[in-house]
Amino acid sequence: MSNCAIVGINWGDEGKGRMVDLIASDYDIVCRYQGGNNAGHTIVNEYGKFALHLIPSGICLPGVVNVLGNGVVIDLESLCGEIETLQKAGVSVTPENFKISERATIVFPYHRALDGLEEARLKDKKYGSTLRGIAPVYSDKYQKKTIMMGELLYPKYLEKRLASILEWKNLTIQNVYGAEAYKLEDMLAWCQEFGSKLAPYICDTSKYLYEAEKAGKNIMFEAQLGALRDIDFGIYPYTSASTTLAAYAPIGSGVPQLKLDESIGIMKAYSSCVGEGPFTCEMFGDEAHALREAGGEYGAATGRPRRVGGFDVVASRYGAMMQGCTCIALTKLDVMSYMDKIPVCVAYELDGKRIENFPGNIEELERAKPIYEYVEGFKCDISGCRKPEDLPKAALDYVKFIEKAVGCPIKYVSVSAEREGCIEMF
């Protein structure tokens, strides 16, 4: 039996979905344990290319059960659309291979609206929200004013609970933001339209996962975003509203007694940043444009251009530590093939001093400047490489340089988007 977490080391969008899709066949269950549809995991396989926002990335693999745990927040409409897209492509999505925790929280249309209203109020001080309602719904959850997926199965109880919550929520919508109130009948109709389609998948996933572990099943936990967007240990307040760390996987999945055997941290061969906030190694102008285009750096959930930069050793070392990584998967190495010299941010300069630890104080992080070293580029197409010895020496040297700098063994290196385009290093 093996319990493994696939987690992001940096700002998110590191390539977690493609790694889950690659190795999930070795596992019986893939479980999402936090976040919502505010980020996407892109996978490419025989069915096509998919940006999965809620459904775990093991859904395309026969025999693998995919679970949305209690720590996930679910937009019913978005999830129904995702299921429909997969099924149209020939992917099987049934109650046998897809299960939703009865304790997972529902993201309502008014949560999405509140996200937009607050970003508009903040103007140039905005946090860079994806406008999916994630912060509002997690806020409501901790105020004990949300609806759980299991409540969809009890319409009379749901109506009573939702009426009370909506009365409270409309006070903010109308009196703080001056927006139009949401009507109970509209929200109930929304629940009926989309909730009825999801009802067959709702169950006690804690019991299911507990019994699966007792039976010796292998469980993989799939995280969203990365360590630098964690609500407690990320770049606050430019974080997500959930815990993105591997340590939270058992809790957010509903089996807090479970122990992880492995934590595979995912990071790119360069840096990309989702959202606002400090990004020390950020590139600008033509240099940024070239890297963004080479890496296809546009948000899977939003389509927004991502901020990009050279590989950040300081941030990656911190992220690997917070994720308790036992090994690392380095993605998009092929993107670097156009560079003569590859920039690596090995340290920061702060107030004239060299620092190698990631600042916990955002004021210091905003003032930090990158200190770069340059590694020889490999200047050739490596997308067809399938073994370590297929890689040119300069590419291997770059991988070894990063491995030593971050202080964690690199087990996987991806050289193309396809499932087979990943090299196992040891």
Side-chain angles (χ1 to χ4, degrees):
M1 182 190 70
S2 174
N3 299 318
C4 171
I6 303 289
V7 291
I9 286 177
N10 300 123
W11 292 264
D13 288 296
E14 300 95 344
K16 295 179 289 296
R18 68 102 65 241
M19 288 307 304
V20 173
D21 183 60
L22 175 72
I23 64 176
S25 57
D26 296 331
Y27 292 81
D28 302 292
I29 300 164
V30 177
C31 183
R32 273 278 310 274
Y33 61 88
Q34 49 78 220
N37 66 324
N38 52 318
H41 291 174
T42 301
I43 60 173
V44 181
N45 54 39
E46 64 272 24
Y47 294 102
K49 181 178 180 179
F50 304 98
L52 301 176
H53 304 294
L54 280 163
I55 294 181
S57 301
I59 194 65
C60 295
L61 296 168
V64 175
V65 178
N66 297 264
V67 175
L68 292 181
N70 53 276
V72 178
V73 292
I74 299 173
D75 185 319
L76 308 182
E77 190 172 349
S78 176
L79 181 54
C80 285
E82 204 165 310
I83 292 172
E84 184 179 346
T85 297
L86 287 164
Q87 290 176 334
K88 282 182 177 178
V91 179
S92 175
V93 184
T94 71
E96 283 66 50
N97 75 335
F98 179 52
K99 302 179 186 296
I100 303 170
S101 171
E102 61 188 2
R103 291 180 175 271
T105 298
I106 297 173
V107 181
F108 278 86
Y110 55 79
H111 289 122
R112 296 196 302 258
L114 282 164
D115 220 346
L117 289 166
E118 177 60 10
E119 285 284 279
R121 187 192 70 82
L122 288 170
K123 296 181 180 177
D124 59 340
K125 298 177 183 178
K126 62 185 180 180
Y127 296 151
S129 170
T130 58
L131 307 182
R132 296 304 206 275
I134 307 304
V137 77
Y138 272 115
S139 176
D140 286 0
K141 176 180 178 177
Y142 287 100
Q143 293 190 74
K144 298 168 285 185
K145 293 184 184 295
T146 51
I147 301 292
M148 295 191 296
M149 290 295 294
E151 294 177 67
L152 293 172
L153 306 179
Y154 302 93
K156 290 185 178 179
Y157 179 77
L158 171 66
E159 181 175 356
K160 182 179 178 182
R161 282 263 294 131
L162 187 55
S164 175
I165 290 171
L166 199 57
E167 180 183 9
W168 168 76
K169 206 68 195 170
N170 278 331
L171 292 174
T172 301
I173 292 169
Q174 292 178 289
N175 299 325
V176 174
Y177 294 106
E180 187 176 345
Y182 278 76
K183 297 177 181 178
L184 176 61
E185 55 267 31
D186 291 341
M187 293 300 92
L188 289 172
W190 184 82
C191 287
Q192 173 58 31
E193 180 181 357
F194 299 106
S196 59
K197 298 175 184 178
L198 298 174
Y201 304 99
I202 300 170
C203 63
D204 183 350
T205 56
S206 290
K207 181 174 183 289
Y208 170 76
L209 291 172
Y210 175 74
E211 292 178 349
E213 190 201 19
K214 284 181 63 178
K217 300 287 187 181
N218 295 322
I219 305 173
M220 175 185 289
F221 300 93
E222 180 181 14
Q224 180 206 66
L225 295 170
L228 303 182
R229 293 304 187 209
D230 180 76
I231 186 66
D232 287 305
F233 298 100
I235 305 170
Y236 191 86
Y238 300 100
T239 67
S240 187
S242 62
T243 301
T244 64
L245 304 184
Y248 185 69
I251 296 171
S253 299
V255 279
Q257 74 279 11
L258 181 145
K259 301 293 187 294
L260 290 177
D261 301 300
E262 192 173 15
S263 174
I264 302 178
I266 317 299
M267 64 187 190
K268 287 176 182 169
Y270 54 95
S271 297
S272 69
C273 177
V274 179
E276 305 290 335
F279 184 31
T280 304
C281 60
E282 184 168 10
M283 293 176 176
F284 300 93
D286 292 343
E287 188 180 27
H289 178 74
L291 181 53
R292 185 178 298 112
E293 291 300 309
E297 290 299 338
Y298 297 89
T302 64
R304 294 187 306 200
R306 296 190 188 115
R307 302 157 70 191
V308 295
F311 185 85
D312 191 324
V313 170
V314 180
S316 298
R317 188 190 298 122
Y318 172 77
M321 177 183 71
M322 299 313 299
Q323 294 290 16
C325 293
T326 53
C327 68
I328 284 172
L330 184 71
T331 62
K332 292 197 170 186
L333 180 63
D334 53 306
V335 171
M336 317 308 290
S337 62
Y338 77 95
M339 291 185 171
D340 294 313
K341 298 284 186 179
I342 303 175
V344 180
C345 175
V346 296
Y348 295 164
E349 181 188 323
L350 181 64
D351 299 331
K353 297 180 181 178
R354 179 187 175 105
I355 62 169
E356 297 185 357
N357 292 325
F358 192 72
N361 184 304
I362 192 169
E363 193 275 338
E364 292 183 349
L365 192 58
E366 286 178 333
R367 291 189 290 112
K369 299 177 182 178
I371 298 174
Y372 279 109
E373 289 185 15
Y374 291 85
V375 180
E376 194 69 32
F378 41 93
K379 296 293 290 182
C380 64
D381 181 9
I382 62 171
S383 61
C385 297
R386 295 295 179 263
K387 302 186 295 293
E389 53 267 31
D390 293 340
L391 290 169
K393 181 179 182 301
L396 279 172
D397 287 346
Y398 181 60
V399 172
K400 291 175 182 176
F401 182 93
I402 288 176
E403 181 179 67
K404 182 179 180 180
V406 174
C408 187
I410 294 176
K411 185 175 182 179
Y412 303 96
V413 174
S414 80
V415 294
S416 69
E418 293 76 25
R419 184 183 289 167
E420 62 272 15
C422 192
I423 299 170
E424 190 163 350
M425 303 300 288
F426 60 84

